[in-house]
C-alpha cells in the first residue's frame, strides 16, 4: 500500500487528524492500542485539592480535560480556580480546545511537554502547588520542583488487545508505516510481532523520549524515524512531508532545538500571560 499509515494511539487523536491526512491524499488508519478509562474515585481525588493552595493547573492531554470536565466536582473546582486567577495550562491544541469550549482562558504554549510547563510555571509562580491532571502513566520529573508538583490521575490508559490485533492485521495486509506519539504506545509496539519481524516497517516517532522503548528493542526489524517535534501538529506535518517527498524536512528539529532554551520558554510564557490577562 502506498499512501497509508497506521496511527497507534487513542481514537480521539485519530478522529481529530484523519480528515487532514485525507486532504493530503493519505489514508490514516487507527490501531486503538490504548483506551482512556476514567479513574473510579475521581471525585474523591478532586475533592482532596485546596484551591487556595494552587498556583497553576496543567491538563496533560485531551482525555484528561474531557474526563475532568465530565465530573461535576471537576467543573466546580475549575470555576473556583478561575475566580482565584489561577493559571490554567494545556498541552496541545485538542486539550486547550475542550477547556476553551467550556469558556475558560487557557495557556497553550508551542510545546507539548509537561516537564517543560512545570519548569516554566515554577519560574513564573514562586509559591503554591502546580497540579497536573493526567493519566496513570505520566512520568513527572523528580527534580527541584517535585515538592511543589502534585499529580492527580484522572484516567487510566488500558492496553487494548483488539487494537493490537487490528495493528497486526493491517501490517499483514501490507501497510508499512506506523506513527506513534506516546510512550505507552511505543512500549506496546515493542511486543507486536508483525513489527519486530518485518524489515520493511517504518515507524514515525514524535520525540526521542517517546522512542526510548523502541530504541532499546533488541529485535529491531524496523526503520525508526524520530522527528523530535515540539507539537503534535508539527509531528503530523513532518510525517506527511516525509511520505510525500523523498526526505523528511529538518524544520521540526530546528524548532525543537530552539525550545530547549529555558529562557525562551519563560519569555514566551510571560508574553502569553500578559496577552491572556488583557483579553
Amino acid at each position: 500500500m502506498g499512501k497509508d499509515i497506521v496511527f497507534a494511539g487513542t481514537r480521539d487523536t485519530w478522529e481529530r487528524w484523519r480528515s487532514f491526512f485525507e486532504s493530503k491524499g493519505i489514508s490514516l488508519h487507527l490501531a486503538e492500542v490504548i483506551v482512556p478509562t476514567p479513574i473510579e474515585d475521581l471525585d474523591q481525588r478532586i475533592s482532596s485539592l485546596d484551591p487556595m493552595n494552587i498556583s497553576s493547573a496543567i491538563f496533560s492531554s485531551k482525555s484528561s480535560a474531557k474526563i475532568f470536565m465530565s465530573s461535576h466536582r471537576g467543573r466546580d473546582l475549575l470555576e473556583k480556580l478561575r475566580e482565584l486567577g489561577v493559571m490554567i495550562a494545556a498541552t496541545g491544541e485538542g486539550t486547550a480546545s475542550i477547556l476553551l469550549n467550556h469558556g475558560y482562558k487557557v495557556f497553550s504554549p508551542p510545546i507539548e511537554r509537561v516537564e517543560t510547563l512545570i519548569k516554566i510555571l515554577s519560574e513564573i509562580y514562586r509559591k503554591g502547588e502546580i497540579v497536573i491532571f493526567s493519566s496513570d502513566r505520566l512520568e513527572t520529573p523528580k527534580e527541584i520542583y517535585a515538592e511543589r508538583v502534585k499529580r492527580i490521575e484522572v484516567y487510566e490508559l488500558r492496553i487494548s488487545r483488539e487494537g493490537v490485533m487490528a495493528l497486526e492485521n493491517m501490517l499483514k495486509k501490507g501497510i508499512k508505516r506506523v506513527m506513534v506519539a506516546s510512550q505507552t504506545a511505543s512500549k506496546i509496539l515493542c511486543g507486536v510481532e508483525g513489527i519486530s519481524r518485518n524489515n520493511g516497517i517504518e515507524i514515525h516517532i514524535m520525540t526521542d523520549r517517546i522512542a526510548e522503548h523502541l530504541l532499546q528493542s533488541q529485535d529491531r526489524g524496523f526503520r525508526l524515524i524520530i522527528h523530535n517535534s515540539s507539537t503534535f501538529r508539527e509531528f503530523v506535518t513532518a510525517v506527511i512531508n516525509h511520505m510525500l517527498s523523498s526526505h523528511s524536512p529538518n524544520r521540526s528539529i530546528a524548532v525543537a532545538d530552539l525550545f530547549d532554551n529555558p529562557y525562551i520558554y519563560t519569555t514566551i510564557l510571560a508574553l502569553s500571560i500578559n496577552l491572556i490577562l488583557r483579553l
Side-chain angles (χ1 to χ4, degrees):
M1 295 185 181
K3 294 182 181 179
D4 291 81
I5 188 167
V6 180
F7 173 68
T10 61
R11 181 171 294 276
D12 271 355
T13 303
W14 172 73
E15 289 177 344
R16 179 176 175 80
W17 292 99
R18 182 185 182 186
S19 60
F20 186 73
F21 274 84
E22 289 179 346
S23 70
K24 306 299 180 183
I26 299 172
S27 295
L28 181 66
H29 304 269
L30 172 66
E32 193 178 10
V33 296
I34 46 179
V35 180
T37 306
I39 294 288
E40 290 185 3
D41 61 344
L42 177 58
D43 285 346
Q44 184 178 344
R45 297 185 183 210
I46 294 173
S47 297
S48 70
L49 296 171
D50 183 352
M52 297 297 294
N53 292 334
I54 300 174
S55 66
S56 51
I58 300 172
F59 287 87
S60 67
S61 67
K62 187 176 179 179
S63 294
S64 67
K66 180 184 287 187
I67 293 172
F68 188 89
M69 294 306 299
S70 69
S71 163
H72 177 71
R73 291 190 182 180
R75 294 192 299 273
D76 284 348
L77 175 63
L78 209 54
E79 190 61 33
K80 291 176 182 177
L81 295 181
R82 174 162 61 180
E83 292 172 359
L84 292 169
V86 171
M87 170 57 67
I88 300 171
T91 57
E93 297 175 24
T95 310
S97 66
I98 291 176
L99 297 168
L100 289 167
N101 289 338
H102 281 84
Y104 294 97
K105 293 179 181 178
V106 181
F107 173 66
S108 183
I111 32 119
E112 295 178 9
R113 300 169 186 165
V114 171
E115 60 268 31
T116 300
L117 271 175
I118 293 173
K119 290 178 181 179
I120 297 173
L121 294 173
S122 295
E123 289 294 323
I124 299 297
Y125 301 100
R126 296 291 182 172
K127 297 180 180 179
E129 289 181 337
I130 298 173
V131 180
I132 307 170
F133 298 106
S134 71
S135 76
D136 62 329
R137 295 177 183 262
L138 178 71
E139 297 179 6
T140 51
K142 307 293 183 182
E143 298 175 352
I144 187 173
Y145 313 109
E147 68 276 6
R148 293 184 53 202
V149 176
K150 187 169 186 177
R151 183 162 67 94
I152 299 296
E153 295 176 1
V154 176
Y155 64 99
E156 300 173 336
L157 277 176
R158 296 182 179 176
I159 299 175
S160 168
R161 291 188 178 183
E162 292 79 4
V164 174
M165 290 177 60
L167 176 58
E168 288 272 18
N169 289 334
M170 284 184 274
L171 296 177
K172 288 178 181 178
K173 290 179 180 179
I175 296 180
K176 299 294 186 181
R177 297 184 182 90
V178 181
M179 61 184 293
V180 181
S182 76
Q183 288 180 305
T184 303
S186 174
K187 187 175 183 179
I188 292 171
L189 258 60
C190 293
V192 176
E193 185 177 349
I195 287 178
S196 61
R197 288 189 176 183
N198 194 325
N199 291 323
I201 299 298
E202 187 176 273
I203 304 178
H204 293 261
I205 302 286
M206 183 168 168
T207 67
D208 51 4
R209 181 176 177 181
I210 292 172
E212 286 177 358
H213 293 293
L214 287 165
L215 287 170
Q216 294 169 6
S217 178
Q218 294 180 352
D219 302 320
R220 286 191 58 182
F222 51 83
R223 182 188 177 201
L224 199 60
I225 301 174
I226 304 172
H227 294 279
N228 277 325
S229 303
S230 299
T231 67
F232 193 81
R233 179 178 290 276
E234 185 182 313
F235 176 45
V236 165
T237 301
V239 171
I240 290 175
N241 285 341
H242 186 279
M243 292 181 67
L244 297 180
S245 61
S246 58
H247 63 277
S248 180
N250 294 322
R251 182 179 179 184
S252 62
I253 296 177
V255 173
D257 290 343
L258 172 65
F259 284 107
D260 280 338
N261 187 325
Y263 173 75
I264 295 177
Y265 281 145
T266 306
T267 302
I268 291 174
L269 178 61
L271 292 172
S272 300
I273 290 174
N274 287 333
L275 288 174
I276 291 172
L277 295 177
R278 290 177 183 178
L279 294 177

